[in-house]
Amino acid sequence: MAEIPDDHREKIAADPFCATLGIELTSLEPSGARTELTITDDLLNFHGTPHGGVVYSLADAAFAAASNSEGNAALALETNMSYLAAAEVGETLVAVAEREDETRRTASYRVDVRADGENANGETIAIFRGRVYKP
């Protein structure tokens, strides 16, 4: 398996939107990535649960990192998200992206978002699917 150059890893890890939300890139490999986010009070919606956009952004960050991990541009064509459960303040959400299919010009990824940490039980919070175009 090819290694990701440090400058490419640093570029992906330095995404300013992810930094704003507190999303951290914790693993990057060809066709795969892992991002993490600890849920804080300022990430909740008016129901007191993590905002769907925050969970989506965590998964999307893993998707973007995985699909661009090999250095060539990959542009999202479509994505969808299924929300299965809510997390609580203090839990860390982990999004793991893996490539499922690839053609010459497109690739498809699945991202599983799970609750992690001592107060969480590894429950699946959401499932994200995305497809990219490789120009």
Side-chain angles (χ1 to χ4, degrees):
M1 195 177 291
E3 192 167 313
I4 310 295
D6 285 340
D7 63 335
H8 190 62
R9 180 183 308 275
E10 290 169 11
K11 180 180 179 180
I12 292 172
D15 182 286
F17 180 71
C18 290
T20 298
L21 291 178
I23 295 171
E24 180 182 358
L25 177 70
T26 57
S27 174
L28 182 66
E29 56 191 56
S31 76
R34 176 183 165 125
T35 56
E36 296 185 13
L37 173 67
T38 299
I39 300 300
T40 57
D41 287 326
D42 59 332
L43 299 176
L44 302 180
N45 61 27
F46 58 85
H47 293 295
T49 60
H51 195 287
V54 169
V55 179
Y56 179 93
S57 293
L58 175 67
D60 186 54
F63 166 60
S67 63
N68 286 277
S69 64
E70 296 175 73
N72 300 319
L75 308 168
L77 289 171
E78 62 183 338
T79 64
N80 68 65
M81 182 89 149
S82 297
Y83 297 93
L84 307 173
E88 296 182 17
V89 171
E91 289 182 334
T92 297
L93 298 185
V94 176
V96 178
E98 294 180 351
R99 184 169 57 211
E100 291 188 316
D101 185 60
E102 182 176 38
T103 67
R104 189 172 59 82
R105 288 285 185 209
T106 66
S108 298
Y109 292 80
R110 176 183 169 129
V111 183
D112 291 327
V113 179
R114 291 193 165 78
D116 195 19
E118 64 182 63
N119 294 333
N121 61 6
E123 179 178 23
T124 300
I125 300 299
I127 298 170
F128 173 107
R129 290 188 184 274
R131 191 166 63 100
V132 295
Y133 171 69
K134 303 177 300 179

